[in-house]
Amino acid sequence: MKNDQTEHMQAQINEAIASKQALVIRGGRSKDFLGRKVGCTHLNTTEHKGVTKYEPGELILTARSGTPLKDIKKLLADQGQMLAFEPPAFGDKATLGGTIACGLSGPRRPYSGSTRDFVLGTKIINGKGEILQFGGEVMKNVAGYDVSRLMTGAYGTLGLLLEISLKTMPSPEQETTLIFEHSAEEAIQRINQLASQPLPISGACHISGKLYLRLSGLTVSVNAACKELGGETLENAEFFWEQLREQQLPEFETEKNFWRISVPPTTAPLALSGETIIDWGGGLRWLTSDEVSQSVRKTAQQAGGHATLFRNHDGFGEVFQPLTPGIKQLHNKLKYAFDPHGILNPGRMYLDI
Amino acid sequence: MSQPSKTHTQSDAIQEKRCQIIAELGNKLPKECLLHSPEELAPYECDGLSIYQSTPLAVALPYTVEQAQQVVRYCHQNQIPIVPRGAGTGLSGGALPHEEGILLSLARLNAILDLDTQARTCRVQPGVRNLAISEAARPHGLYYAPDPSSQIACSIGGNVAENAGGVHCLKYGLTVHNVFQVIILNAEGDFITLGSEALDSAGYDLLALIIGSEGLLGIVVEIVVKLLPTPQEAKVILAAFHSVEEAGDAVGQIIGAGIIPAGVEMMDKLSIQATEDFVHAGYPLDAAAILLCELDGIETEINETTSRVNEVLLKAGAYQVRVSENDQQRELFWAGRKAAFPAVGRISPDYYCMDGTIPRKQLGNVLTQISERASHHKLRVANVFHAGDGNLHPLILFDANKEGDLDRAHLLGNDILELSIAAGGTITGEHGVGIEKLGGMCKQFNAEELTQYHAIKTAFDDTGILNPGKAVPTLHRCAEFGHMHVHNGELPFPDLPRF
């Protein structure tokens, strides 16, 4: 099978338009659990794969959406580079397309930037079956609206991603993780104080009474920061951050509702029952809880954030935080602008988009 | 430059419409918030791109966001075009007034509302100057990273509209990477909050979409920006090369060695000579190209990166490498680069500034072709280049008083934009499309892509009253390229640095 499946996928979309049959876009199915459940006619992207361009000196990588994320990470690592938004894969099968469509970023996010920050260009098929290209393979580009970043985190509801161009970054020369004993409240305060100093912080989380602070950069910078900060050094730290990113630490194991709550990083511990893992230097709270959805969402909203029912739900209820009327209206109109027949992943994010 | 050009030729219909607006909108605003006499309108006829001029029906200058809302509501009810304007320093005619519209200046909304040192954020109104944010944050060891060359004058609202960059965006990002939240007035005059003070928001990334949308999707009335800790120290390395290709490749090799400099700039021989005559920065006059590479961080870190970059540069063929020994020398090294535009203005009566971005490895190829096209058109080109991120500013030298020069400059400009697209780049890296590059948009995007852009516009502004006729050309209007035209070195804001 050839690696460029554009024509095949375009034909599938045109067929869906003709038969008014909604499509469920599927990559490696590593993130099937995310979002709401949708229809049953599938469009598979995994055969549409391959890195079409990688220029380490230009910090540019372009790949087809079905390319396995692990292949891309390996390719970059061989050149001493990385995806600085540190995306979680949730399994070996994750594709680049799914990674961008879900827009999830890992522990490095507050310090290096989010998934969309590194997206430079996309080629898509919209819901009219048109192949469109936005952005490009250059860092600075202000021609036209930033559709590529709009596609990031849109869960495939605005277009099928065909190709994505990303900014890559050099991997740090050294990484060291320090551990400090702190309550959640102290940890949040301390992380935010440290983040306002010129320190090479690349990760800060709080789990079971401990603050883990990751420092990345040149050996001299990391060593200088370690000397200044004190604390205990974590052995096997790379594995720890991987387990945090992939939600494989024992603290993530639960049958209860598992919430992703995004709040301003300085927000004090939320008044919600259950166990909380704090990531993103205070900006992300993973909550295992029996609390009813309404109170979780209300608490998140009052803090200036939003809550996603991440795991352990039936997929038929509300998963993402309901939108305010003005924003909701824009979503409906944008959905119509890209997918007037409503055939691309309808209902994956919200019931009617 | 700011001479009223057509205030006496307006038709009666326009005058009638103006009188109506004065009567109706005048009721809703303090008297001094609505300008309408020819003398009052004259300063607003153009932005930083002065070849395009036009007189609006009136200029609204609200003191408060509620007054701005009144203006938008009135315009929506009466279907009057609105052109938003910040400091008016833009270089693509994005704030060019609409003859049948109202120019809405956000300049008086210039308060810094809150500076949260703990969260490292600053809440500001759109008329706040870019540099004023960093000045306010400085006592707390923080700053706002995007630094467009016009930062002493340009406003943050305009920065959001244009997705402004700066010398340091390779390492610290563009406006889109440094804004948490904006509040916009939509076309109906309702306030809508996009983004949040958390690190993401539910639903589509509308914040990313609004940034760089050139005032076509909403009018930004409040912004929360991200502040970063100020780097402890910075040094600049000046490296001289015998060829532009070598200099371009050297940048790739620095990055390939795992170092992301805070900024990397490049100048070619003609630019070096022009600036050296002008500011005496100590640039080597025999170089075909020089690189200026800024490194920042803590002292030990800079010492390390400086020595590594030094090594890479020599290996890459630099025949001279100098490291700034103190802040004064660092400023001097930068002074030449920052004076490049006015310096070129001294050696040529007129110049056009282009703004394409190209993949850096195409630099040698593109510069060679530019030089060939220039010889063909019998014109000279001086090149300055944000080498870290591939953003090329060729300055086409010509003399508007010489017959045929202007036309040939236009043709060469078109060639250069086409070269940028052909090299895999874009027609505009940071100046925006505005009114100037509508033609280039037709070359860069096909009809289906442009139609998709129009559909986005309709989702936000279905009657098309927000900055109509800018940024995205209609399919009917795929015309010639336009350029920044500078006569006798006189920019509309002659005192502003332009690089």
Side-chain angles (χ1 to χ4, degrees), chain A residues 53 55-59 79-81 103 109-111 113-114 116-118 124 126 128 130-147 149-150 152-155 157-158 167-171 173 188-199 218-221 224-225 260 262-266 280 283-284 304-306 320-324 326-327 329-335 337-338 349-350 353, chain B residues 116-120 140-142 162-163 165-166 169-171 174 176-177 179 184 188 192-194 196-209 211-214 216-217 226 229-232 251-252 255-256 258-260 298 300-301 304-305 308 355 357-362 386 388-389 391 424-433 441 444-446 448-449 451-460 462 471-472:
Chain A
K53 184 184 249 185
E55 303 272 357
E58 304 255 346
L59 304 175
Q79 296 293 324
Q81 295 198 336
R109 191 268 171 256
Y111 312 100
S114 65
R116 69 94 142 140
D117 287 344
F118 291 89
I124 65 162
N126 68 6
K128 294 196 276 181
E130 297 164 338
I131 297 170
L132 310 173
Q133 208 158 353
F134 300 103
E137 294 179 326
V138 289
M139 303 290 157
K140 272 162 104 177
N141 187 353
V142 292
Y145 303 127
D146 201 341
V147 175
R149 292 197 167 100
L150 177 67
T152 310
Y155 285 83
T157 61
L158 296 178
K167 179 180 181 183
T168 62
M169 290 294 275
S171 302
E173 183 177 280
I188 291 166
Q189 273 182 19
R190 176 133 196 229
I191 296 168
N192 282 290
Q193 274 160 13
L194 293 175
S196 57
Q197 296 168 33
L199 291 163
L218 289 184
T219 308
V220 283
S221 330
R260 175 190 188 275
S262 178
V263 287
T266 50
W280 284 10
L284 199 55
H306 64 103
F320 297 99
Q321 186 91 12
L323 305 169
T324 58
I327 295 285
Q329 200 187 20
L330 281 174
H331 277 65
N332 289 108
K333 288 179 173 179
L334 280 170
K335 172 71 174 174
F338 281 89
M349 287 180 99
Y350 295 96
I353 66 163
Chain B
D116 185 338
T117 54
Q118 177 83 346
R120 290 102 56 212
H140 310 285
L142 300 168
E162 301 293 324
N163 191 14
C169 52
L170 179 69
K171 185 168 179 182
L174 307 158
V176 70
H177 303 108
V179 168
I184 60 164
E188 282 92 44
I192 298 188
T193 302
L194 308 177
S196 74
E197 289 180 62
L199 294 172
D200 56 21
S201 334
Y204 297 148
D205 199 333
L206 302 179
L207 180 65
L209 186 61
I211 294 175
S213 63
E214 303 196 19
L216 271 77
L217 304 183
K226 174 169 146 183
T230 313
Q232 280 181 350
V251 179
I255 291 165
I259 297 162
I260 302 290
I298 56 170
T300 48
E301 185 178 357
E304 178 86 24
T305 46
R308 288 191 201 180
D355 175 45
T357 304
I358 55 170
R360 197 184 328 93
K361 65 165 190 171
Q362 294 279 359
H386 298 301
D389 43 46
N391 190 197
T426 177
I427 54 167
T428 175
E430 59 183 4
H431 294 170
V433 174
M441 287 293 285
Q444 189 165 334
F445 296 99
N446 65 30
E448 288 176 339
E449 287 154 355
T451 303
Q452 186 66 73
Y453 284 144
H454 287 299
I456 294 170
K457 165 75 169 166
T458 304
F460 281 81
D462 55 358
V472 184

Side-chain angles (χ1 to χ4, degrees), chain A residues 227-256:
Chain A
K227 211 171 138 190
E228 190 184 324
L229 293 168
E232 214 184 301
T233 305
L234 175 69
E235 299 294 325
N236 209 0
E238 201 181 330
F239 184 61
F240 168 81
W241 290 99
E242 185 189 316
Q243 285 205 306
L244 171 69
R245 185 188 74 218
E246 301 296 335
Q247 304 190 341
Q248 288 164 345
L249 293 167
E251 287 84 352
F252 282 98
E253 269 174 43
T254 178
E255 304 279 303
K256 294 181 185 175

Side-chain angles (χ1 to χ4, degrees), chain B residues 236-426:
Chain B
V236 173
I237 304 179
L238 189 162
F241 292 84
H242 290 304
S243 82
V244 287
E245 287 87 351
E246 276 180 342
D249 291 346
V251 179
Q253 285 163 33
I254 293 169
I255 291 165
I259 297 162
I260 302 290
V264 196
E265 296 291 315
M266 184 174 141
M267 294 164 72
D268 73 355
K269 196 173 189 90
L270 191 51
S271 312
I272 297 167
Q273 286 169 346
T275 52
E276 195 50 29
D277 275 355
F278 185 33
V279 291
H280 313 294
Y283 294 167
L285 286 168
D286 53 345
I290 58 163
L291 280 183
L292 293 165
C293 177
E294 181 165 295
L295 299 161
D296 64 5
I298 56 170
E299 193 187 346
T300 48
E301 185 178 357
I302 297 189
N303 291 342
E304 178 86 24
T305 46
T306 305
S307 96
R308 288 191 201 180
V309 170
N310 202 352
E311 207 173 297
V312 173
L313 287 167
L314 290 170
K315 235 181 176 169
Y319 70 89
Q320 189 191 101
V321 179
R322 285 152 61 195
V323 181
S324 66
E325 278 160 22
N326 49 47
D327 281 351
Q328 203 182 352
Q329 196 176 23
R330 181 170 64 90
E331 296 292 338
L332 185 64
F333 282 175
W334 273 124
R337 172 62 188 86
K338 292 185 178 183
F341 282 25
V344 166
R346 289 173 80 232
I347 61 166
S348 174
D350 301 86
Y351 69 83
Y352 274 141
C353 174
M354 314 298 295
D355 175 45
T357 304
I358 55 170
R360 197 184 328 93
K361 65 165 190 171
Q362 294 279 359
L363 181 67
N365 168 33
V366 170
L367 289 185
T368 306
Q369 291 191 63
I370 289 179
S371 144
E372 281 168 16
R373 298 311 302 156
S375 313
H376 173 80
H377 293 295
K378 301 188 177 60
L379 292 168
R380 288 190 301 165
V381 175
N383 290 289
V384 292
F385 188 46
H386 298 301
D389 43 46
N391 190 197
L392 186 61
H393 293 313
L395 306 172
I396 302 172
L397 315 190
F398 70 103
D399 183 350
N401 292 325
K402 249 169 114 182
E403 201 181 321
D405 248 32
L406 177 63
D407 291 341
R408 283 184 285 117
H410 268 294
L411 290 171
L412 177 55
N414 283 351
D415 288 353
I416 292 174
L417 288 185
E418 279 178 34
L419 285 173
S420 300
I421 298 173
T426 177

Side-chain angles (χ1 to χ4, degrees), chain A residues 54-68:
Chain A
Y54 176 39
E55 303 272 357
E58 304 255 346
L59 304 175
I60 295 281
L61 176 134
T62 300
R64 298 195 182 101
S65 50
T67 314

